[in-house]
Amino acid sequence: MSAIEYEGDDEILEEEEMEEEAPMEEEAAPAPRLKSTIKSTIAATSSAAARKQKGRGFKDSTDGEQRFTGKYDSLESGSGPGPAKSVEGWIVMVTGVHEEAQEDDIHEAFAEYGEIQNLHLNLDRRTGFVKGYAMLEYENKKEAQAAIDGLDGTELLDQKISVAWAFSKGPLKKSGPARRGRN
């Protein structure tokens, strides 16, 4: 077996010697500029000097105004108070629903007035019974209004139910009391 000569050490020594001989000329790198730094001019003694301000409070007033000039999407803006359309349809809120009611019971009662797009009948986690309200969605306002007019104050499973709009633009004009209790 022959020994392998390694010449790596000599090269390392030569590099170290060259570094020692070379004069130390390091240029100071400029300090990094932060994007949040804003220059503002403040009169200092006799001349105006540029001073850097950091934070939110030093922005130009025009920046804030530009933010609020955009146009935003909105639903139909009707005039005056009344029912409001949700994104997909007209939502009707049914309160006073019997705790043992099923989705089929509510669907049968309200399907007479139009096609129901969506039906939510929330259950209590602890008991498993209906919480006492349901939400129905109709595609047309006429169908939803017909359901409200036809079923408000009627009985469903021997319990009186109240039917009204779930969303409204302003107060709805109603002749009855503001809240109806269970009888």
Side-chain angles (χ1 to χ4, degrees):
M1 295 194 136
S2 65
I4 300 175
E5 284 188 32
Y6 182 72
E7 296 180 12
D9 292 335
D10 294 337
E11 290 176 10
I12 293 173
L13 291 175
E14 288 175 11
E15 288 176 10
E16 288 177 359
E17 288 174 7
M18 292 191 65
E19 287 177 4
E20 290 175 5
E21 292 174 5
M24 296 286 210
E25 293 183 24
E26 292 184 22
E27 294 181 20
R33 295 183 74 181
L34 299 175
K35 289 182 180 179
S36 65
T37 305
I38 299 172
K39 293 182 181 180
S40 65
T41 56
I42 299 175
T45 60
S46 63
S47 65
R51 182 174 171 198
K52 295 179 181 179
Q53 301 279 334
K54 295 181 181 178
R56 294 183 185 175
F58 299 104
K59 291 184 179 178
D60 293 335
S61 62
T62 58
D63 293 342
E65 292 172 3
Q66 290 175 354
R67 228 182 352 180
F68 299 113
T69 58
K71 291 185 177 181
Y72 300 99
D73 294 337
S74 64
L75 296 174
E76 299 170 10
S77 59
S79 60
K85 183 181 182 199
S86 71
V87 176
E88 296 179 6
W90 297 88
I91 309 292
V92 175
M93 179 84 158
V94 183
T95 57
V97 178
H98 193 271
E99 63 182 12
E100 294 180 2
Q102 300 289 321
E103 282 188 14
D104 293 337
D105 300 328
I106 294 173
H107 194 277
E108 286 174 12
F110 284 87
E112 299 174 18
Y113 299 97
E115 183 181 349
I116 297 172
Q117 301 288 5
N118 205 348
L119 170 65
H120 283 278
L121 186 64
N122 294 332
L123 303 177
D124 188 1
R125 290 183 200 166
R126 191 170 39 98
T127 62
F129 291 114
V130 174
K131 282 189 170 184
Y133 67 93
M135 298 183 81
L136 294 112
E137 180 179 347
Y138 288 98
E139 186 175 1
N140 299 332
K141 182 179 178 181
K142 292 177 185 176
E143 296 173 348
Q145 186 64 53
I148 291 171
D149 294 340
L151 294 174
D152 189 27
T154 61
E155 286 193 5
L156 180 68
L157 297 178
D158 298 329
Q159 191 163 331
K160 188 175 179 182
I161 59 170
S162 298
V163 184
W165 294 107
F167 305 113
S168 66
K169 297 177 273 184
L172 295 174
K173 295 178 183 177
K174 245 186 181 180
S175 60
R179 282 189 114 168
R180 297 181 185 176
R182 289 185 177 179
N183 293 338

